[in-house]
Amino acid sequence: MAGLTVCVLGVVRCANPAVVGETVGVSSVPLDSSVLTVVSASKTESMEVVRKTGLHTPYSMPVFKEADGRPLKSKIYSVPGFGRTFPDLQDVHIVAARKWGVSPVEDREEAELRKDELVYVGSNPYYTMDKQMSYSIPYLVPRASDLLQKISRNFLDSLAIKDIPLHTLIVTSVLRTENDVRRLRRFNCNASEESCHRFGTTFDICYNRYNTVSHPEGPERRSVRNDSLKWVLSEVLRDLREQELCYVKYEVKQGCFHITVR
């Protein structure tokens, strides 16, 4: 049943992308209001405007329906073992990183001069950069930035179809300069001197912390276990890995999925 649901959604998405509420950045795109239920809106966008125009906001949740009008829901299946599903080791990550990445950046000052090769990936409505991130800077190559955006959007889509309150992902590591790697290795002997993060192709997404999305003036959202959100995220990453869009390593000690674009 889950496979059929995914196929149906894929066909609908291809035939009419507006049904899933395509959005770029924080801009709004017209959406057929008959398939949209607004759960919350930004502070600058009133619920009345959203209702009349059918605009899709970063905090709106699309509602998928069966042919008879009933809500279309999908179960959480997770994956058959995180280690078995995401076994990609350093050897494959580093090959992809060297193929698609930039040459390593010495320090943050040099990174500022390499913006023709790198794009800024600061917090946005779809994911958040961890406030505790001190050994990397929010830059990736465009190919990796697109992958991060795709993962984040697919995660929100999955939460919507499973009728789970919206949460956004937390990114804990992105581009590391050579200086960052040296500093990190002083405190973490397991940190690799040949880190894939040096190439701007790799990022880590936390699987035991998430940001809850709620209306600033609305009721408190029902709580969701982090394990449930982790299972949904694992489904999203498995699908993208099977499409050969990325390599994924399940990191136990760091509490994250280590992801490199392909």
Side-chain angles (χ1 to χ4, degrees):
M1 181 61 184
L4 178 60
T5 298
V6 172
C7 292
V8 170
L9 287 176
V11 172
V12 172
R13 190 168 198 159
C14 293
N16 186 5
V19 171
V20 294
E22 291 293 332
T23 306
V24 179
V26 295
S27 62
S28 296
V29 179
L31 180 70
D32 182 354
S33 58
S34 65
V35 295
L36 175 66
T37 296
V38 177
V39 175
S40 60
S42 67
K43 294 180 180 179
T44 58
E45 206 165 21
S46 71
M47 295 293 286
E48 184 65 17
V49 170
V50 173
R51 186 185 67 79
K52 289 182 177 179
T53 63
L55 292 178
H56 178 61
T57 73
Y59 302 119
S60 301
M61 180 181 287
V63 174
F64 302 91
K65 295 184 177 181
E66 300 276 10
D68 60 4
R70 292 182 296 110
L72 177 64
K73 296 181 181 180
S74 176
K75 294 182 180 180
I76 301 175
Y77 291 97
S78 188
V79 295
F82 300 114
R84 295 197 305 275
T85 305
F86 307 112
D88 302 322
L89 299 177
Q90 169 74 359
D91 56 346
V92 295
H93 282 266
I94 196 70
V95 170
R98 287 173 175 159
K99 178 178 181 179
W100 300 111
V102 298
S103 58
V105 178
E106 178 58 31
D107 52 35
R108 301 181 182 220
E109 288 72 22
E110 182 182 341
E112 290 296 316
L113 304 175
R114 303 276 292 275
K115 290 183 178 178
D116 57 330
E117 304 172 80
L118 300 164
V119 295
Y120 180 72
V121 289
S123 300
N124 63 47
Y126 303 99
Y127 58 82
T128 301
M129 288 292 154
D130 192 358
K131 295 180 179 179
Q132 303 175 13
M133 188 171 63
S134 57
Y135 292 101
S136 62
I137 53 179
Y139 291 98
L140 291 171
V141 296
R143 190 182 189 90
S145 174
D146 290 345
L147 174 64
L148 175 57
Q149 191 79 357
K150 187 176 186 67
I151 291 171
S152 304
R153 291 172 61 88
N154 287 5
F155 179 66
L156 290 175
D157 280 354
S158 294
L159 293 181
I161 198 171
K162 296 175 189 297
D163 194 29
I164 299 174
L166 293 184
H167 290 71
T168 57
L169 302 174
I170 298 176
V171 181
T172 57
S173 185
V174 275
L175 174 68
R176 289 179 187 160
T177 67
E178 299 287 72
N179 187 44
D180 288 327
V181 172
R182 287 192 292 269
R183 289 192 304 119
L184 182 60
R185 284 175 58 81
R186 294 174 191 166
F187 304 98
N188 183 356
C189 60
N190 293 321
S192 174
E193 194 171 8
E194 286 294 308
S195 172
C196 295
H197 288 282
R198 297 157 59 237
F199 301 90
T201 56
T202 305
F203 50 88
D204 297 342
I205 295 179
C206 180
Y207 57 64
N208 50 22
R209 290 184 291 129
Y210 301 83
N211 287 321
T212 302
V213 177
S214 59
H215 192 289
E217 299 177 356
E220 184 177 348
R221 305 295 295 275
R222 67 180 172 87
S223 60
V224 181
R225 294 176 57 220
N226 282 341
D227 279 351
S228 297
L229 298 171
K230 178 182 179 181
W231 295 336
V232 175
L233 176 57
S234 70
E235 293 175 6
V236 169
L237 293 178
R238 177 204 56 204
D239 292 345
L240 294 177
R241 181 179 179 273
E242 290 179 351
Q243 294 172 35
E244 299 186 349
L245 295 179
C246 58
Y247 290 115
V248 184
K249 178 69 169 69
Y250 177 65
E251 299 283 3
V252 178
K253 293 183 179 180
Q254 284 73 32
C256 69
F257 289 108
H258 178 71
I259 304 162
T260 298
V261 71
R262 294 179 64 176

